[in-house]
Amino acid sequence: MRPAATPEATVPPAQPPERVVARLRRSARGLTVPAILVIVLAGAAAYGVGIAAELWQDLAIVGGAVLVALLGSFLPFLAWLTRRTTITTRRIIVRSGIFVRVRQELLHSRGYDVTVRRTWWQSAFGSGDVRINTGHEKPFVLKNVPKPELVQGALQELMGEEHSRVAERRRAEQSMIEGDTVAWGGR
């Protein structure tokens, strides 16, 4: 004899696929100083090459300008470019690092407190820090996020949805454990 098909009520509900809600980077305002540095450096290097008397001086000026441009402009740009935050329907994923890649994840189902902190400078440009307190010593901070109130609202909504989904799944598992009737046998 074969067991009869399990009733629909005892099968835990299938999880909807994970979707990307938002992809964020820090505000590009932090790249203002490196951009100004490149412009000033280009002018200073051109002036220095114009007044230098010998070839080795020209090469030293150009080499120094390239080194300062790499350290002062290209590396900050690369650091900004490689730090990305992805918010999905189930978690927050932060990826960062130039030479060593670091990936941090925070599940919405863990529950957390979301606050927005803005300095007067950030308020002037419409950005802010989204602080996610997970109950550990150090909060999870998304720095200089554009439209932080929108991010805060989305995170709170996603966390509520995930909590109701987890509670529903636990109720379904508990009802299976407590002995729902399953028809065995047949004719």
Side-chain angles (χ1 to χ4, degrees), residues 36-50 61 65:
I36 291 172
L37 178 67
V38 166
I39 294 168
V40 169
L41 199 58
Y47 178 75
V49 168
I61 291 171

Side-chain angles (χ1 to χ4, degrees), residues 7-16 90 164-176:
E8 292 287 328
T10 60
V11 177
Q15 289 186 351
R90 292 194 190 132
S164 63
R165 190 177 304 127
V166 167
E168 187 177 312
R169 192 175 330 127
R170 285 185 183 153
R171 275 194 300 272
E173 289 172 358
Q174 189 64 28
S175 68
M176 288 174 53

Side-chain angles (χ1 to χ4, degrees), residues 19-85:
R19 290 184 345 260
V20 173
V21 175
R23 287 191 175 96
L24 306 169
R25 290 191 196 278
R26 285 185 174 183
S27 174
R29 184 180 71 248
L31 297 175
T32 305
V33 172
I36 291 172
L37 178 67
V38 166
I39 294 168
V40 169
L41 199 58
Y47 178 75
V49 168
I51 64 167
E54 297 189 28
L55 178 65
W56 70 269
Q57 292 173 334
D58 291 342
L59 293 176
I61 291 171
V62 170
V66 167
L67 182 64
V68 171
L70 281 175
L71 295 176
S73 295
F74 185 69
L75 284 180
F77 173 71
L78 199 57
W80 174 81
L81 195 62
T82 59
R83 183 170 178 89
R84 181 177 55 225
T85 302

